[in-house]
Amino acid sequence: MIGMYFTEEHHLFRESLKDFLQKEVVPHIEKWEETGTIERFIWTKFAEMGYFGLATPESHDGLGLDLFYTAIFLEELQNINSGGFAAAIWAHVYLAMTHLNKNASVQQKEAYLIPSVHGEKIGCLGVTEPFGGSDVAGMRTTAVRKGDFYIVNGSKTFITNGVYGDYIILAAKTDPTVGNKGISLFIVDRNSKGVSANKLNKLGWRASDTAELAFDNVEVPVANLMGSEGSGFGFIMEAFALERLVMGINAHARAEYALEYTLQYMSEREAFGKSIDQYQALRHRLVDLYAEMELCKNYNYGVVAKLDKGAYAVKEATISKLKSTKMADEVIYHCLQFLGGYGYIEDYPMARLLRDSRLGPIGGGTSEILREIIAKIVIDKKEYKAPKK
C-alpha cells in the first residue's frame, strides 16, 4: 500500500522481505514450532539483510530507517503464521535492542549493540517477575554494589529469548527503599555464573523459547549499568510505548492474514450449490470483522507516525495494544468458525493463529492494566513525560 504513510521505497522493502521470508524462514517453521528451538543460522541471515538494524543508526552498523520500515517488518513476520518465531525476532530487536539504542553507553554499544545488529548476540528483556508483571515498581530482584560489581539476586519470568539468548537487559532494585526511583537497568551476560533458566511450556508461540530466569549471587560489572542508578524505571516506561505499539501492529497484521486466508477459503468452499462467500450471514459478518481490522490498522499507522516524529505517545500506543489485540482475537475466533471443522485441524493455519493470538491481550501489559493506564490519562488527567536523559 503506497499512500499517506508508505513510499515506493517502503513497498520495495516489503516485497523483498516477503521473498526472503518465503525462501529462508517458511521451510523451517514447522520444525521450529515442533521443537521449540529456532536454529541460529537464521539470525545470521536476518542480520546479513540488515533487518536487525532498521532502527539502529548507521554509526553503529544499522540502517537508521524510519519507523514505517519497522511496521512493515512486523506485519510481514505475522504473515508466515508463527507468532513464536515473530516474537523471538521482535523481542531481540524491539525489546532488548531498543534499550541499547536509547540508553547504552558508547562502550556498551560497541560490546552489545553492534553484535546484535550483526546477529552475533541475541538479547532479551528481563522485567516481569513471578510475583508481579505490570507492577514494575514492586519488583523484588536486587542489585547490590560490591566494589567493581553488582551482586544480583532474584528471578524473572515469561522472558522471550531467555533460554537461548546471549544477554539480558535486566531490571533490578539498587535501592529498595525508594520504590520505582530505586530501579536500575543492567546488561547481564546469559552465561554468567549464577544465571539459570527454566524453559516454560506455552499454549502458543511454540517456536520461541520463553524462560523463567533465576539469579543467584550473579556478579555484574559496574560497567554494565545502563545510565545511572535509579534511572531504570524511566527507561522502562519510555520503552513500553514502542512495545505496546509493536503488539498492536502484530495484532492487526495477524487479523488481516486470517481474513485474507478465510476469504480465499470461502471463495472455494461450496455448500448447497454455491460458494459460502455468497451467503449473506457470512458475508456481512466478515465485512464487520474486516472493518474493525482496518480501523485498528489505520489507527496504528497514525501512532507509528507520532512515535517516528519523537512524540511520547503513551496514551495512543496503549490504546493501540488494547483495541488491536482484542480485535485480533475476535477476528481469528470467527475466521476459525468460517472454516468449520477444518478450522479445528492443525493442517490449516487458524488453530495456531488462535493460540498465538491469545497472548496479545496478556503480554506486555494485560488489557485490564492498560484500561487503568488509559483511565488515569483520560479521567484523572495524569501526564506521562519522557524521562530526562
Side-chain angles (χ1 to χ4, degrees):
M1 182 178 70
I2 302 172
M4 183 184 300
Y5 299 117
F6 297 99
T7 65
E8 178 65 26
E9 287 74 20
H10 288 126
H11 175 69
L12 293 173
F13 172 76
R14 187 187 294 275
E15 293 305 308
S16 174
L17 175 58
K18 282 181 178 180
D19 184 62
F20 171 83
L21 293 173
Q22 288 299 318
K23 289 180 178 178
E24 304 293 347
V25 179
V26 170
H28 307 284
I29 286 296
E30 297 306 320
K31 177 182 178 182
W32 297 339
E33 285 280 332
E34 182 69 26
T35 63
T37 304
I38 299 167
E39 294 163 286
R40 285 295 285 242
F41 76 84
I42 197 63
W43 298 86
T44 302
K45 288 183 179 291
F46 267 76
E48 289 171 350
M49 296 296 291
Y51 295 140
F52 293 152
L54 298 178
T56 298
E58 293 180 27
S59 58
H60 290 95
D61 293 0
L63 299 175
L65 298 171
D66 66 62
L67 201 57
F68 283 99
Y69 284 93
T70 287
I72 294 167
F73 185 61
L74 295 169
E75 287 175 335
E76 294 307 322
L77 281 172
Q78 293 298 311
N79 286 339
I80 58 175
N81 195 24
S82 175
F85 177 78
I89 297 295
W90 63 254
H92 169 59
V93 183
Y94 299 110
L95 298 187
M97 286 179 62
T98 289
H99 285 285
L100 294 178
N101 274 307
K102 285 181 172 289
N103 308 317
S105 67
V106 173
Q107 292 78 13
Q108 290 168 350
K109 288 181 178 180
E110 288 288 332
Y112 292 94
L113 177 59
I114 292 176
S116 294
V117 170
H118 291 291
E120 297 162 0
K121 289 188 176 182
I122 300 168
C124 63
L125 178 65
V127 175
T128 300
E129 297 190 350
F131 299 100
S134 297
D135 181 15
V136 175
M139 72 174 55
R140 302 183 185 183
T141 300
T142 59
V144 178
R145 177 78 180 262
K146 187 177 180 180
D148 294 332
F149 294 90
Y150 285 90
I151 307 302
V152 175
N153 284 281
S155 58
K156 301 291 178 180
T157 196
F158 308 137
I159 309 304
T160 302
N161 295 340
V163 179
Y164 304 122
D166 301 299
Y167 65 89
I168 308 152
I169 305 297
L170 182 74
K173 283 193 172 178
T174 44
D175 185 351
T177 67
V178 292
N180 60 34
K181 294 181 180 178
I183 295 174
S184 304
L185 280 188
F186 299 87
I187 308 171
V188 180
D189 289 316
R190 171 64 185 79
N191 63 358
S192 298
K193 183 179 178 181
V195 179
S196 58
N198 174 42
K199 190 173 184 179
L200 300 174
N201 186 16
K202 308 183 298 295
L203 171 68
W205 282 19
R206 302 291 296 180
S208 68
D209 60 293
T210 304
E212 186 172 66
L213 298 173
F215 303 88
D216 182 12
N217 291 317
V218 179
E219 293 187 348
V220 179
V222 170
N224 282 27
L225 171 68
M226 302 186 80
S228 58
E229 281 195 14
S231 61
F233 186 78
F235 290 161
I236 293 166
M237 291 300 104
E238 182 179 28
F240 268 165
L242 178 60
E243 180 181 354
R244 289 167 185 159
L245 177 59
V246 164
M247 295 194 75
I249 293 169
N250 288 340
H252 84 234
R254 66 175 169 269
E256 187 169 29
Y257 171 80
L259 286 164
E260 288 176 354
Y261 181 89
T262 301
L263 278 168
Q264 181 64 33
Y265 174 88
M266 291 172 68
S267 71
E268 297 170 354
R269 177 70 170 176
E270 289 192 359
F272 305 104
K274 60 181 179 181
S275 60
I276 63 173
D277 62 359
Q278 297 304 305
Y279 287 95
Q280 187 181 78
L282 301 183
R283 289 163 63 87
H284 289 189
R285 182 59 189 138
L286 190 137
V287 165
D288 283 340
L289 297 171
Y290 183 88
E292 291 165 11
M293 179 276 296
E294 279 285 317
L295 285 170
C296 287
K297 180 168 73 168
N298 283 280
Y299 177 84
N300 291 344
Y301 288 161
V303 183
V304 172
K306 285 193 172 188
L307 284 183
D308 194 49
K309 293 175 182 176
Y312 192 57
V314 174
K315 178 181 73 174
E316 294 86 348
T318 306
I319 291 172
S320 165
K321 181 183 183 300
L322 175 67
K323 302 304 289 185
S324 296
T325 56
K326 182 176 185 292
M327 174 276 299
D329 269 9
E330 292 177 352
V331 166
I332 293 165
Y333 178 90
H334 287 287
C335 284
L336 190 152
Q337 184 72 19
F338 288 143
L339 266 67
Y342 292 109
Y344 206 65
I345 301 299
E346 291 289 348
D347 293 340
Y348 290 74
M350 223 53 68
R352 182 187 299 163
L353 265 173
L354 188 72
R355 290 196 306 274
D356 287 353
S357 184
R358 191 60 191 87
L359 188 63
I362 299 172
T366 65
S367 295
E368 291 75 16
I369 290 291
L370 300 189
R371 289 188 184 97
E372 183 57 26
I373 292 170
I374 298 167
K376 288 179 178 178
I377 297 171
V378 174
I379 299 172
D380 302 335
K381 308 303 179 186
K382 179 179 175 63
E383 292 186 20
Y384 289 89
K385 297 180 180 179
K388 295 180 181 179
K389 301 295 185 183

